[in-house]
């Protein structure tokens, strides 16, 4: 994809703690057209769309970018084959088109992958219906299809995927969707917005509404690193806080009519060597026939997910014993040779789907479409959707915000049309990904003498920003050395993560910037001391602060290992649906 740039475009983005401080000063002093609350994929999409249309735009995130649901996904950019059963043809078509657009604007992050839906004698749907569904899945992508499905015999499947249960297997449908790195997708979207002039800060929490002459004039936020108040003036405000949407509406406006239905989704993480499958599997849980996925991802396989109503605390989501049992039972049925058990689970993560509230439906049946609520005044909330469709959600939201800006403030967009499908994400200005990958991997191995896996990791994580990473590597003592012997991350990435990725906490780096937390059984607890010392020096932490950071990391490890203990009663509503 070729480059389209706007006025404030910065090729190499400095996105450091000092830039954040400067951004907070800007937040306090300037009047914004659009203020976005929430730095998950939805907020990231909105801030990027708004700034690309030429609005003066800001975004605040109370935690790290993508610390909420957006890093708890199944790592798929997909049309959602299962929604065909609900006759949601419009949604599936939209998602299939978005799949291709995301491949184009972020080719280093979103990659096509083969998927497989095995069909058994006792499958809920007969083979001909699944075959018809597959045709429809291809057709609904129109010209944006990324590969046609094919039906595969049981005999061939036994060779292609020997881990799969053979008993009762009739055939399988092989089709295509995409895999992604959800953190990288959010971060590249945020960085793209910042690159085009948006004012963005993480660890800034919206707390109160500012009123002038009785009208909403902005948000009083808090810098969570210093406790200082950050008053932000804005003409229109976009609430993109996902699962927190109702909570924030009630905190700001004392409004208590719920828009969101939060359902919990759990994934188990196992090593790929313990379940050596080559395709992403869609299967149906043996307990209730819900679709479940086994997705090979990096050196892992993600097994998910549950879908259960959730009414507990939004900032502390545990994986419980019953979540794990539900998934193990089904996946052991489908992959009997793997003999999956607690010992093979590295960790288990839980996220909350911010679904549109629809009464009388089970969690799985609730629509994955989105809706925008305009109230009160210039405060807009967006609910629902999927990671895959975030760009369309953002487009709809910015369209609504533009209309309000025009009508109430006579402020019009410099570029009236949405161009987010044409502008590459940060690091995504790549014409042909395969050529780019081969060239860069070759160069990094031959000229820079990196191991092959490190070179591949650089290409997938940073795309065309690799030169910045190489500078960071050169500027870091032992910058070329691996942080963990079994993983491709090198110490220089710490410099890059802080200077170009607004990394401010130990878990920002271990959980999100590198995924070491998920990729390795100790979840970073065996390598954190060196990283904590480095961050302490760079970020000026006191000993107390460093200890807090370490405790926070340990607590997050605890959340993902909680299922090994007795089940808790913290989540009062819990039913597989
Ligand atoms: C288990 C699971 C698997 C999924 N798998 C897929 C998949 O494979 N593909 C797909 O397309 N979709 C998938 N989804 C759906 C997708 O992940 C979500 O729709 C999407 O991530 C929601 O993003 P969001 O930005 O709306 O919410 P979030 O990512 O939760 O972002 C909201 C942000 O708002 C911030 N915030 C909250 N309150 C405040 C405040 N007061 N001030 C400032 N910031 C605040 C939070 O810290 C948070 O970062 C999955 C969802 C789940 C739960």
């Amino acid at each position: 994809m070729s480059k389209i740039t706007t006025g404030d475009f910065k090729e190499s983005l400095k996105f450091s703690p000092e830039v954040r401080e400067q951004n907070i000063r800007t937040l306090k002093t300037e009047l914004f057209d659009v203020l976005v609350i929430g730095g998950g994929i939805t907020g990231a999409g909105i801030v990027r769309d708004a700034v690309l249309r030429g609005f003066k735009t800001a975004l605040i995130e109370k935690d790290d970018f993508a610390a909420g649901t957006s890093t708890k996904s199944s790592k798929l950019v997909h049309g959602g084959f299962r929604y065909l059963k609900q006759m949601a043809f419009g949604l599936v078509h939209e998602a299939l088109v978005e799949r291709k657009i995301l491949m184009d604007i972020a080719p280093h992050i979103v990659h096509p992958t083969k998927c497989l839906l095995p069909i058994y004698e006792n499958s809920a749907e007969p083979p001909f219906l699944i075959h018809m569904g597959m045709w429809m899945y291809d057709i609904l992508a129109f010209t944006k299809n990324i590969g046609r499905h094919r039906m595969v015999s049981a005999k061939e499947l036994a060779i292609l995927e020997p881990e799969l249960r053979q008993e009762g297997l009739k055939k399988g449908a092989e089709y295509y969707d995409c895999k992604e790195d959800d953190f990288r997708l959010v971060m590249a979207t945020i960085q793209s917005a910042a690159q085009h002039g948006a004012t963005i800060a993480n660890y800034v929490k919206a707390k109160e509404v500012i009123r002038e002459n009785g009208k909403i004039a902005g948000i009083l936020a808090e810098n969570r690193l210093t406790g200082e108040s950050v008053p932000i003036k804005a003409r229109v405000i976009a609430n993109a806080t996902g699962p927190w949407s109702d909570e924030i509406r009630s905190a700001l406006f004392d409004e208590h009519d719920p828009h969101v239905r939060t359902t919990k989704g759990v994934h188990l993480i196992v090593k790929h060597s313990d379940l050596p499958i080559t395709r992403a599997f869609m299967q149906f849980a043996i307990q209730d026939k819900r679709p479940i996925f086994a997705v090979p991802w990096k050196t892992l396989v993600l097994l998910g997910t549950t879908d259960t109503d959730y009414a507990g605390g939004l900032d502390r989501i545990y994986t419980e014993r019953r979540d794990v049992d539900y998934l193990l039972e089904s996946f052991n049925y489908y992959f009997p040779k793997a003999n999956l058990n607690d010992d093979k689970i590295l960790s288990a993560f839980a996220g909350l789907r911010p679904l549109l509230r629809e009464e009388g439906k089970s969690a799985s049946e609730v629509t994955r479409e989105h809706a925008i609520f305009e109230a009160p005044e210039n405060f807009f909330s967006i609910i629902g959707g999927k990671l895959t469709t975030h760009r369309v959600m953002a487009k709809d939201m910015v369209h609504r915000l533009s209309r309000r800006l025009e009508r109430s403030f006579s402020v019009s967009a410099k570029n009236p049309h949405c161009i987010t499908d044409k502008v590459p994400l940060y690091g995504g200005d790549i014409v042909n990904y395969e050529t780019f990958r081969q060239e860069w991997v070759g160069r990094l191995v031959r000229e820079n003498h990196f191991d092959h896996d490190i070179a591949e990791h650089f290409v997938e994580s940073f795309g065309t920003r690799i030169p910045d990473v190489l500078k960071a590597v050169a500027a870091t003592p032992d910058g070329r050395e691996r942080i963990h012997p079994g993983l491709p991350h090198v110490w220089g990435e710490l410099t890059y993560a802080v200077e170009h990725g607004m990394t401010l906490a130990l878990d920002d780096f271990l959980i999100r910037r590198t995924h070491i937390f998920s990729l390795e059984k100790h979840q970073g607890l065996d390598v954190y001391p060196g990283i904590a010392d480095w961050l302490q020096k760079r970020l000026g932490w006191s000993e107390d602060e460093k200890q807090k950071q370490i405790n926070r990391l340990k607590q997050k490890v605890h959340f993902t290992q909680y299922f090994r203990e007795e089940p808790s009663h913290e989540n009062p509503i819990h039913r597989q649906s």
Side-chain angles (χ1 to χ4, degrees):
M1 166 154 288
S2 59
K3 259 182 240 178
I4 294 183
T5 59
T6 56
D8 286 332
F9 184 81
K10 299 174 191 75
E11 176 93 33
S12 167
L13 180 73
K14 189 105 173 107
F15 208 47
S16 63
E18 291 71 26
V19 169
R20 174 181 173 274
E21 277 168 27
Q22 176 54 50
N23 287 355
I24 290 176
R25 285 195 287 277
T26 308
L27 287 172
K28 284 175 168 177
T29 48
E30 299 199 9
L31 168 65
F32 292 90
D33 296 326
V34 178
L35 169 64
V36 183
I37 308 175
I41 192 66
T42 309
I46 296 169
V47 72
R48 186 169 109 92
D49 191 321
V51 79
L52 284 172
R53 292 199 209 196
F55 290 121
K56 192 167 173 57
T57 309
L59 177 143
I60 53 170
E61 161 56 52
K62 77 173 169 64
D63 205 293
D64 186 21
F65 304 117
T69 303
S70 295
T71 35
K72 315 297 185 315
S73 81
S74 306
K75 323 293 181 209
L76 292 172
V77 165
H78 59 154
F81 180 76
R82 74 187 185 92
Y83 306 126
L84 289 179
K85 199 175 167 188
Q86 299 168 7
M87 307 282 190
F89 301 126
L91 176 69
V92 174
H93 166 65
E94 181 176 270
L96 289 169
V97 172
E98 285 306 303
R99 184 181 68 179
K100 179 68 171 72
I101 291 174
L102 292 178
M103 269 177 68
D104 290 345
I105 62 175
H108 57 313
I109 299 172
V110 179
H111 306 284
T113 189
K114 280 185 182 162
C115 303
L116 194 89
L117 170 56
I119 306 167
Y120 287 88
E121 276 162 5
N122 60 354
S123 286
E125 316 300 343
F128 83 90
L129 209 61
I130 292 185
H131 200 174
M132 263 176 60
M134 285 291 155
W135 275 113
M136 193 158 279
Y137 203 60
D138 284 341
I139 290 167
L140 283 172
F142 294 169
T143 55
K144 304 288 182 192
N145 206 3
I146 58 170
R148 281 243 219 104
H149 82 277
R150 71 178 183 116
M151 300 308 280
V152 188
S153 68
K155 207 165 142 201
E156 191 182 345
L157 275 181
I159 299 164
L160 293 177
E161 297 287 355
E163 290 296 316
L164 186 63
R165 181 185 194 87
Q166 305 299 318
E167 204 186 318
L169 182 63
K170 290 180 85 169
K171 54 173 78 176
E174 186 187 69
Y175 63 104
Y176 291 83
D177 264 323
C178 287
K179 275 195 277 192
E180 42 86 13
D181 179 330
D182 46 16
F183 172 74
R184 289 274 154 222
L185 190 64
V186 176
M187 197 64 206
T189 308
I190 291 271
Q191 286 168 313
S192 168
Q195 197 180 24
H196 289 90
T199 304
I200 297 177
N202 51 2
Y203 293 98
V204 174
K205 179 174 181 176
K207 297 202 92 163
E208 287 172 39
V209 68
I210 299 173
R211 288 184 185 277
E212 280 174 5
N213 304 322
K215 290 217 151 52
I216 298 172
I219 289 290
L220 183 63
E222 182 195 63
N223 178 349
R224 292 186 65 208
L225 301 188
T226 60
E228 67 169 319
S229 286
V230 184
I232 309 167
K233 298 273 186 67
R235 295 188 164 109
V236 295
I237 299 165
N239 171 17
T241 54
W244 288 265
S245 299
D246 285 343
E247 188 181 276
I248 192 172
R249 282 173 48 250
S250 105
L252 298 181
F253 306 109
D254 209 17
E255 285 200 354
H256 301 285
D257 56 317
H259 291 161
V260 190
R261 178 168 176 182
T262 41
T263 73
K264 184 170 91 166
V266 166
H267 286 89
L268 312 180
I269 302 182
V270 299
K271 280 196 246 164
H272 186 255
S273 53
D274 282 333
L275 182 55
I277 52 175
T278 54
R279 289 159 180 75
F281 276 81
M282 179 164 82
Q283 288 144 323
F284 295 94
I286 55 169
Q287 301 91 334
D288 53 12
K289 306 284 180 221
R290 282 187 47 254
I292 49 175
F293 295 91
V295 181
W297 191 73
K298 301 187 189 282
T299 53
L300 311 169
V301 177
L302 308 180
L303 301 171
T305 160
T306 59
D307 196 355
T308 56
D309 276 312
Y310 181 83
L314 300 178
D315 291 286
R316 292 166 161 261
I317 315 155
Y318 299 87
T319 299
E320 292 170 277
R321 183 73 252 165
R322 52 193 151 181
D323 300 321
V324 174
D325 289 345
Y326 172 83
L327 293 170
L328 280 183
E329 198 182 343
S330 275
F331 285 112
N332 270 325
Y333 176 82
Y334 288 114
F335 301 116
K337 285 187 223 156
N339 190 20
L340 300 168
N341 55 42
D342 279 13
D343 292 342
K344 294 193 176 162
I345 300 173
L346 297 180
S347 62
F349 62 94
L352 297 178
R353 295 178 187 81
L355 303 177
L356 257 181
R357 181 163 279 271
E358 287 186 314
E359 300 303 340
K361 288 193 174 173
S362 74
S364 296
E365 286 167 353
V366 174
T367 178
R368 265 50 176 175
E369 291 187 22
H370 66 273
I372 295 169
F373 298 88
E374 295 190 21
E377 300 170 39
N378 301 327
F379 188 88
F380 293 66
S381 296
I382 184 159
I383 315 288
K386 306 195 300 169
L387 208 108
T388 306
T389 53
H390 78 274
R391 205 195 56 81
V392 182
M393 295 166 67
K395 181 177 167 182
D396 288 354
M397 178 61 128
V398 177
H399 181 65
R400 298 276 275 271
L401 300 175
S402 305
R403 278 208 316 230
R404 181 62 60 88
L405 282 165
E406 178 97 56
R407 226 178 31 226
S408 304
F409 302 96
S410 305
V411 171
S412 21
K414 288 191 192 115
N415 316 314
H417 301 295
C418 169
I419 53 168
T420 52
D421 56 339
K422 298 185 183 63
V423 180
L425 297 192
Y426 196 65
D429 44 335
I430 297 165
V431 178
N432 178 314
Y433 179 68
E434 208 28 55
T435 312
F436 172 85
R437 192 184 70 78
Q438 281 174 20
E439 277 177 16
W440 265 105
V441 169
R443 249 159 92 175
L444 289 165
V445 170
R446 270 193 323 272
E447 295 169 25
N448 302 84
H449 311 292
F450 283 109
D451 290 344
H452 196 271
D453 63 325
I454 296 177
E456 291 273 6
H457 156 66
F458 277 10
V459 170
E460 280 191 9
S461 303
F462 308 111
T464 55
R465 303 320 315 162
I466 293 173
D468 291 338
V469 181
L470 293 179
K471 278 186 206 150
V473 167
T476 313
D478 297 326
R480 301 172 52 86
E481 299 299 316
R482 289 176 193 262
I483 293 173
H484 188 285
L487 296 174
H489 314 88
V490 295
W491 283 96
E493 284 176 61
L494 198 45
T495 302
Y496 181 79
V498 172
E499 307 308 330
H500 297 269
M502 230 178 246
T503 295
L504 297 163
L506 186 56
D507 60 282
D508 292 356
F509 187 70
L510 283 168
I511 298 182
R512 285 169 293 278
R513 303 298 182 285
T514 58
H515 302 296
I516 289 174
F517 183 81
S518 304
L519 290 166
E520 204 278 319
K521 78 170 179 193
H522 299 293
Q523 299 189 268
L525 293 181
D526 52 345
V527 292
Y528 77 76
I531 299 167
D533 287 348
W534 193 97
L535 287 172
Q536 178 180 31
K537 227 159 126 191
R538 170 64 180 88
L539 301 174
W541 291 343
S542 62
E543 276 305 312
D544 247 22
E545 178 56 32
K546 184 168 83 172
Q547 198 49 51
K548 262 196 220 152
Q549 294 280 334
I550 294 167
N551 293 344
R552 185 169 123 139
L553 174 69
K554 288 183 176 168
Q555 190 189 43
K556 299 215 165 154
V557 170
H558 174 68
F559 290 166
T560 66
Q561 299 294 337
Y562 184 74
F563 66 92
R564 298 187 201 275
E565 301 171 12
E566 283 299 295
S568 126
H569 299 291
E570 177 153 317
N571 312 326
I573 303 173
H574 193 296
R575 63 183 166 75
Q576 299 297 346
S577 41

